Amino acid sequence: MENKDTEISRITRSKDEARDIYDKISKLYDLLEGVWEKKAKETGLAKLAVEEGERVLEIGFGTGYSLVALAKSVGASGKVYGIDISPRMFNIGAARLRAGGLKARVELTLGDAVELPYKNAFFDAVFMSFTLELFDTPEIPLVLSECKRVLKKGGRICVISLSKTGGRSRMRELYEWGHQRFPRLLDCRPIFVQEALKVVGFQCLDINMATVFWMPVEIVVAINPG
């Protein structure tokens, strides 16, 4: 019998469906979800503490809010890379960078993080905000293993995600009920972030809990021990 406290729901929509969903909501994303996610993202960025001259990857950059912050942090001597599955999100993110005069510091790719198109030990840091929980359960260790592969030894990763950690939450239970019945409308779900990072060999250093839409959120910084 399934234990609802320890089992992670599966993602049943396809990657094509995910792409279509985020293309459709791209122009409204900052109003629908972005404002709710802002505080958690700012906390995660501060914890990741990107420095001038570093090479950083953001997975699932969406409308580019965090890309701008990362580009400012790395300075003219650093470089930010971003990957996202949605063409329209890609275009909005690129436009935001151009408007901020930061295009030269950022290289964007349209693609799937299950297979990252970057060399081994290429990045100093990886940032992933409200993205990991969009991948189906068997894909989560694949994505994190790819993150570990492209990170340098001692490199940092920050993952921000809806969380199943922290005891019972009525709002989380309601959300999971909605996800099971309307999987294409509520296409993400809470996961165990720390455990997922540890499984692929990351060492968790800094763990914070927050709330978004009154649901628990984990903000975890970990390092690649090599």
Side-chain angles (χ1 to χ4, degrees), residues 169-186:
S169 165
R170 300 288 290 187
M171 181 57 73
R172 181 175 59 210
E173 291 173 1
L174 179 61
Y175 183 91
E176 289 179 313
W177 177 89
H179 168 73
Q180 291 170 2
R181 284 155 182 78
F182 309 102
R184 287 165 181 78
L185 178 63
L186 301 177

PDB file of all heavy atoms in Angstrom, residues 169-186:
ATOM      1  N   SER A 169       1.103  18.923   6.005  1.00  0.00           N
ATOM      2  CA  SER A 169       0.652  20.240   5.552  1.00  0.00           C
ATOM      3  C   SER A 169      -0.679  20.063   4.832  1.00  0.00           C
ATOM      4  O   SER A 169      -0.764  19.352   3.830  1.00  0.00           O
ATOM      5  CB  SER A 169       1.675  20.859   4.596  1.00  0.00           C
ATOM      6  OG  SER A 169       1.104  21.945   3.889  1.00  0.00           O
ATOM      7  N   ARG A 170      -1.717  20.688   5.344  1.00  0.00           N
ATOM      8  CA  ARG A 170      -3.042  20.561   4.734  1.00  0.00           C
ATOM      9  C   ARG A 170      -3.050  21.125   3.316  1.00  0.00           C
ATOM     10  O   ARG A 170      -3.664  20.553   2.419  1.00  0.00           O
ATOM     11  CB  ARG A 170      -4.057  21.309   5.600  1.00  0.00           C
ATOM     12  CG  ARG A 170      -4.167  20.813   7.009  1.00  0.00           C
ATOM     13  CD  ARG A 170      -4.854  19.473   7.115  1.00  0.00           C
ATOM     14  NE  ARG A 170      -6.278  19.550   6.819  1.00  0.00           N
ATOM     15  CZ  ARG A 170      -7.119  18.534   6.968  1.00  0.00           C
ATOM     16  NH1 ARG A 170      -6.664  17.372   7.420  1.00  0.00           N
ATOM     17  NH2 ARG A 170      -8.398  18.655   6.671  1.00  0.00           N
ATOM     18  N   MET A 171      -2.350  22.251   3.107  1.00  0.00           N
ATOM     19  CA  MET A 171      -2.315  22.837   1.778  1.00  0.00           C
ATOM     20  C   MET A 171      -1.574  21.925   0.801  1.00  0.00           C
ATOM     21  O   MET A 171      -1.988  21.763  -0.352  1.00  0.00           O
ATOM     22  CB  MET A 171      -1.652  24.211   1.817  1.00  0.00           C
ATOM     23  CG  MET A 171      -1.599  24.915   0.456  1.00  0.00           C
ATOM     24  SD  MET A 171      -3.227  25.139  -0.308  1.00  0.00           S
ATOM     25  CE  MET A 171      -3.897  26.453   0.718  1.00  0.00           C
ATOM     26  N   ARG A 172      -0.483  21.307   1.260  1.00  0.00           N
ATOM     27  CA  ARG A 172       0.253  20.376   0.400  1.00  0.00           C
ATOM     28  C   ARG A 172      -0.623  19.181   0.036  1.00  0.00           C
ATOM     29  O   ARG A 172      -0.640  18.741  -1.119  1.00  0.00           O
ATOM     30  CB  ARG A 172       1.528  19.905   1.086  1.00  0.00           C
ATOM     31  CG  ARG A 172       2.369  18.946   0.231  1.00  0.00           C
ATOM     32  CD  ARG A 172       3.669  18.618   0.909  1.00  0.00           C
ATOM     33  NE  ARG A 172       3.453  17.998   2.210  1.00  0.00           N
ATOM     34  CZ  ARG A 172       4.285  18.118   3.246  1.00  0.00           C
ATOM     35  NH1 ARG A 172       5.389  18.826   3.134  1.00  0.00           N
ATOM     36  NH2 ARG A 172       4.020  17.513   4.385  1.00  0.00           N
ATOM     37  N   GLU A 173      -1.349  18.653   1.004  1.00  0.00           N
ATOM     38  CA  GLU A 173      -2.238  17.528   0.733  1.00  0.00           C
ATOM     39  C   GLU A 173      -3.304  17.904  -0.288  1.00  0.00           C
ATOM     40  O   GLU A 173      -3.625  17.122  -1.188  1.00  0.00           O
ATOM     41  CB  GLU A 173      -2.887  17.057   2.035  1.00  0.00           C
ATOM     42  CG  GLU A 173      -1.916  16.393   2.998  1.00  0.00           C
ATOM     43  CD  GLU A 173      -2.548  16.101   4.346  1.00  0.00           C
ATOM     44  OE1 GLU A 173      -3.760  16.403   4.518  1.00  0.00           O
ATOM     45  OE2 GLU A 173      -1.853  15.580   5.231  1.00  0.00           O
ATOM     46  N   LEU A 174      -3.849  19.108  -0.167  1.00  0.00           N
ATOM     47  CA  LEU A 174      -4.850  19.582  -1.122  1.00  0.00           C
ATOM     48  C   LEU A 174      -4.240  19.726  -2.508  1.00  0.00           C
ATOM     49  O   LEU A 174      -4.848  19.341  -3.517  1.00  0.00           O
ATOM     50  CB  LEU A 174      -5.422  20.922  -0.653  1.00  0.00           C
ATOM     51  CG  LEU A 174      -6.463  21.574  -1.566  1.00  0.00           C
ATOM     52  CD1 LEU A 174      -7.685  20.673  -1.719  1.00  0.00           C
ATOM     53  CD2 LEU A 174      -6.872  22.940  -1.009  1.00  0.00           C
ATOM     54  N   TYR A 175      -3.016  20.274  -2.558  1.00  0.00           N
ATOM     55  CA  TYR A 175      -2.337  20.454  -3.846  1.00  0.00           C
ATOM     56  C   TYR A 175      -2.064  19.097  -4.501  1.00  0.00           C
ATOM     57  O   TYR A 175      -2.277  18.924  -5.708  1.00  0.00           O
ATOM     58  CB  TYR A 175      -1.038  21.223  -3.642  1.00  0.00           C
ATOM     59  CG  TYR A 175      -0.314  21.525  -4.935  1.00  0.00           C
ATOM     60  CD1 TYR A 175      -0.549  22.709  -5.626  1.00  0.00           C
ATOM     61  CD2 TYR A 175       0.586  20.608  -5.477  1.00  0.00           C
ATOM     62  CE1 TYR A 175       0.100  22.981  -6.814  1.00  0.00           C
ATOM     63  CE2 TYR A 175       1.237  20.872  -6.672  1.00  0.00           C
ATOM     64  CZ  TYR A 175       0.984  22.065  -7.337  1.00  0.00           C
ATOM     65  OH  TYR A 175       1.624  22.315  -8.526  1.00  0.00           O
ATOM     66  N   GLU A 176      -1.573  18.133  -3.718  1.00  0.00           N
ATOM     67  CA  GLU A 176      -1.281  16.814  -4.273  1.00  0.00           C
ATOM     68  C   GLU A 176      -2.553  16.130  -4.772  1.00  0.00           C
ATOM     69  O   GLU A 176      -2.534  15.426  -5.790  1.00  0.00           O
ATOM     70  CB  GLU A 176      -0.567  15.952  -3.227  1.00  0.00           C
ATOM     71  CG  GLU A 176       0.860  16.406  -2.955  1.00  0.00           C
ATOM     72  CD  GLU A 176       1.562  15.564  -1.913  1.00  0.00           C
ATOM     73  OE1 GLU A 176       0.948  15.302  -0.858  1.00  0.00           O
ATOM     74  OE2 GLU A 176       2.709  15.176  -2.150  1.00  0.00           O
ATOM     75  N   TRP A 177      -3.646  16.339  -4.075  1.00  0.00           N
ATOM     76  CA  TRP A 177      -4.940  15.821  -4.533  1.00  0.00           C
ATOM     77  C   TRP A 177      -5.273  16.423  -5.894  1.00  0.00           C
ATOM     78  O   TRP A 177      -5.695  15.710  -6.816  1.00  0.00           O
ATOM     79  CB  TRP A 177      -6.019  16.170  -3.511  1.00  0.00           C
ATOM     80  CG  TRP A 177      -7.408  15.750  -3.909  1.00  0.00           C
ATOM     81  CD1 TRP A 177      -8.008  14.547  -3.656  1.00  0.00           C
ATOM     82  CD2 TRP A 177      -8.367  16.550  -4.622  1.00  0.00           C
ATOM     83  NE1 TRP A 177      -9.284  14.535  -4.179  1.00  0.00           N
ATOM     84  CE2 TRP A 177      -9.535  15.747  -4.771  1.00  0.00           C
ATOM     85  CE3 TRP A 177      -8.360  17.842  -5.142  1.00  0.00           C
ATOM     86  CZ2 TRP A 177     -10.677  16.212  -5.435  1.00  0.00           C
ATOM     87  CZ3 TRP A 177      -9.488  18.303  -5.808  1.00  0.00           C
ATOM     88  CH2 TRP A 177     -10.644  17.500  -5.942  1.00  0.00           C
ATOM     89  N   GLY A 178      -5.064  17.742  -6.046  1.00  0.00           N
ATOM     90  CA  GLY A 178      -5.326  18.396  -7.319  1.00  0.00           C
ATOM     91  C   GLY A 178      -4.391  17.920  -8.418  1.00  0.00           C
ATOM     92  O   GLY A 178      -4.802  17.749  -9.571  1.00  0.00           O
ATOM     93  N   HIS A 179      -3.124  17.697  -8.051  1.00  0.00           N
ATOM     94  CA  HIS A 179      -2.149  17.215  -9.040  1.00  0.00           C
ATOM     95  C   HIS A 179      -2.542  15.842  -9.576  1.00  0.00           C
ATOM     96  O   HIS A 179      -2.422  15.580 -10.781  1.00  0.00           O
ATOM     97  CB  HIS A 179      -0.757  17.136  -8.403  1.00  0.00           C
ATOM     98  CG  HIS A 179       0.245  16.396  -9.218  1.00  0.00           C
ATOM     99  ND1 HIS A 179       0.801  16.922 -10.364  1.00  0.00           N
ATOM    100  CD2 HIS A 179       0.787  15.163  -9.071  1.00  0.00           C
ATOM    101  CE1 HIS A 179       1.645  16.045 -10.885  1.00  0.00           C
ATOM    102  NE2 HIS A 179       1.644  14.976 -10.117  1.00  0.00           N
ATOM    103  N   GLN A 180      -3.027  14.969  -8.704  1.00  0.00           N
ATOM    104  CA  GLN A 180      -3.401  13.626  -9.137  1.00  0.00           C
ATOM    105  C   GLN A 180      -4.623  13.643 -10.048  1.00  0.00           C
ATOM    106  O   GLN A 180      -4.738  12.812 -10.961  1.00  0.00           O
ATOM    107  CB  GLN A 180      -3.660  12.751  -7.907  1.00  0.00           C
ATOM    108  CG  GLN A 180      -2.395  12.446  -7.119  1.00  0.00           C
ATOM    109  CD  GLN A 180      -2.680  11.784  -5.790  1.00  0.00           C
ATOM    110  OE1 GLN A 180      -3.843  11.514  -5.445  1.00  0.00           O
ATOM    111  NE2 GLN A 180      -1.640  11.521  -5.012  1.00  0.00           N
ATOM    112  N   ARG A 181      -5.513  14.596  -9.845  1.00  0.00           N
ATOM    113  CA  ARG A 181      -6.751  14.633 -10.631  1.00  0.00           C
ATOM    114  C   ARG A 181      -6.662  15.557 -11.841  1.00  0.00           C
ATOM    115  O   ARG A 181      -7.378  15.354 -12.822  1.00  0.00           O
ATOM    116  CB  ARG A 181      -7.920  15.047  -9.725  1.00  0.00           C
ATOM    117  CG  ARG A 181      -8.357  13.900  -8.825  1.00  0.00           C
ATOM    118  CD  ARG A 181      -9.018  14.358  -7.565  1.00  0.00           C
ATOM    119  NE  ARG A 181      -9.367  13.215  -6.716  1.00  0.00           N
ATOM    120  CZ  ARG A 181      -8.471  12.567  -5.960  1.00  0.00           C
ATOM    121  NH1 ARG A 181      -7.217  12.962  -5.956  1.00  0.00           N
ATOM    122  NH2 ARG A 181      -8.847  11.530  -5.233  1.00  0.00           N
ATOM    123  N   PHE A 182      -5.792  16.551 -11.781  1.00  0.00           N
ATOM    124  CA  PHE A 182      -5.642  17.487 -12.901  1.00  0.00           C
ATOM    125  C   PHE A 182      -4.153  17.652 -13.224  1.00  0.00           C
ATOM    126  O   PHE A 182      -3.573  18.739 -13.064  1.00  0.00           O
ATOM    127  CB  PHE A 182      -6.270  18.840 -12.550  1.00  0.00           C
ATOM    128  CG  PHE A 182      -7.675  18.750 -12.022  1.00  0.00           C
ATOM    129  CD1 PHE A 182      -7.930  18.863 -10.660  1.00  0.00           C
ATOM    130  CD2 PHE A 182      -8.741  18.517 -12.875  1.00  0.00           C
ATOM    131  CE1 PHE A 182      -9.216  18.772 -10.170  1.00  0.00           C
ATOM    132  CE2 PHE A 182     -10.037  18.419 -12.391  1.00  0.00           C
ATOM    133  CZ  PHE A 182     -10.280  18.552 -11.038  1.00  0.00           C
ATOM    134  N   PRO A 183      -3.497  16.571 -13.671  1.00  0.00           N
ATOM    135  CA  PRO A 183      -2.036  16.573 -13.822  1.00  0.00           C
ATOM    136  C   PRO A 183      -1.501  17.512 -14.886  1.00  0.00           C
ATOM    137  O   PRO A 183      -0.323  17.859 -14.848  1.00  0.00           O
ATOM    138  CB  PRO A 183      -1.727  15.107 -14.172  1.00  0.00           C
ATOM    139  CG  PRO A 183      -2.992  14.584 -14.771  1.00  0.00           C
ATOM    140  CD  PRO A 183      -4.100  15.279 -14.040  1.00  0.00           C
ATOM    141  N   ARG A 184      -2.330  17.921 -15.819  1.00  0.00           N
ATOM    142  CA  ARG A 184      -1.855  18.852 -16.842  1.00  0.00           C
ATOM    143  C   ARG A 184      -2.034  20.303 -16.427  1.00  0.00           C
ATOM    144  O   ARG A 184      -1.389  21.192 -16.980  1.00  0.00           O
ATOM    145  CB  ARG A 184      -2.554  18.574 -18.172  1.00  0.00           C
ATOM    146  CG  ARG A 184      -2.052  17.299 -18.840  1.00  0.00           C
ATOM    147  CD  ARG A 184      -2.951  16.806 -19.953  1.00  0.00           C
ATOM    148  NE  ARG A 184      -2.410  15.576 -20.535  1.00  0.00           N
ATOM    149  CZ  ARG A 184      -2.513  14.376 -19.974  1.00  0.00           C
ATOM    150  NH1 ARG A 184      -3.135  14.254 -18.806  1.00  0.00           N
ATOM    151  NH2 ARG A 184      -2.000  13.310 -20.551  1.00  0.00           N
ATOM    152  N   LEU A 185      -2.897  20.536 -15.457  1.00  0.00           N
ATOM    153  CA  LEU A 185      -3.081  21.879 -14.914  1.00  0.00           C
ATOM    154  C   LEU A 185      -2.087  22.139 -13.790  1.00  0.00           C
ATOM    155  O   LEU A 185      -1.393  23.165 -13.763  1.00  0.00           O
ATOM    156  CB  LEU A 185      -4.519  22.046 -14.398  1.00  0.00           C
ATOM    157  CG  LEU A 185      -4.857  23.394 -13.752  1.00  0.00           C
ATOM    158  CD1 LEU A 185      -4.729  24.523 -14.774  1.00  0.00           C
ATOM    159  CD2 LEU A 185      -6.276  23.358 -13.184  1.00  0.00           C
ATOM    160  N   LEU A 186      -1.978  21.207 -12.857  1.00  0.00           N
ATOM    161  CA  LEU A 186      -1.002  21.274 -11.762  1.00  0.00           C
ATOM    162  C   LEU A 186       0.099  20.260 -12.092  1.00  0.00           C
ATOM    163  O   LEU A 186       0.052  19.116 -11.652  1.00  0.00           O
ATOM    164  CB  LEU A 186      -1.670  20.959 -10.425  1.00  0.00           C
ATOM    165  CG  LEU A 186      -2.820  21.882 -10.015  1.00  0.00           C
ATOM    166  CD1 LEU A 186      -3.445  21.407  -8.716  1.00  0.00           C
ATOM    167  CD2 LEU A 186      -2.353  23.319  -9.875  1.00  0.00           C
TER     168      LEU A 186
END
